[in-house]
Amino acid sequence: MMPMKVHTVESLKERTIDDAGCWIWTGYHGNKVPSVFHNGKMTQVRKVICELLDKQMPKSAYLHAACGHQSCINPEHFKIYTRQQHMDAIRKKAHASPTRIANVQKY
């Protein structure tokens, strides 16, 4: 049986590259979100960091990086979104993607 790894903010930061204050996650991404095995299941790294820092979050909260980098796990960049804000952000990003813009311009 493999021993369970105990995560700390420092151990998670060791798996990042510093990019102008952003901690860019170099580990596993599940559904394009930085993820790590924690407490017996795959969990978003941002949620693990909040747990380690004893930050209280509603269960239904969505964590985004305010810097806009999808792989940033710097807790200073975390922004808590409601489900509606999360969906709006995804929609806005999808509408602004280079592929979508190219397709719209094509037709």
Side-chain angles (χ1 to χ4, degrees):
M1 182 176 209
M2 196 165 90
M4 189 181 297
K5 180 171 178 145
V6 177
H7 296 289
T8 64
V9 174
E10 292 78 22
S11 73
L12 294 170
K13 187 176 182 207
E14 286 174 3
R15 296 176 66 185
T16 67
I17 297 170
D18 192 305
D19 181 19
C22 289
W23 302 353
I24 308 303
W25 181 250
T26 61
Y28 176 77
H29 285 70
N31 291 331
K32 299 182 182 179
V33 178
S35 302
V36 70
F37 199 74
H38 182 69
N39 289 339
K41 63 182 180 176
M42 287 307 288
T43 308
Q44 292 180 13
V45 176
R46 291 182 189 122
K47 289 188 178 190
V48 173
I49 289 175
C50 284
E51 180 183 315
L52 293 171
L53 295 174
D54 290 326
K55 288 189 176 185
Q56 298 299 317
M57 281 187 353
K59 286 255 187 221
S60 61
Y62 291 81
L63 285 170
H64 284 246
C67 60
H69 199 295
Q70 193 169 351
S71 295
C72 180
I73 63 161
N74 184 339
E76 293 176 8
H77 296 185
F78 292 174
K79 185 171 182 176
I80 297 174
Y81 279 19
T82 63
R83 185 179 196 293
Q84 185 62 51
Q85 290 169 324
H86 173 69
M87 296 308 292
D88 290 345
I90 289 173
R91 247 183 248 106
K92 182 179 178 183
K93 191 173 189 177
H95 286 286
S97 75
T99 305
R100 174 153 169 64
I101 291 169
N103 286 337
V104 169
Q105 290 172 346
K106 183 177 168 182
Y107 296 103

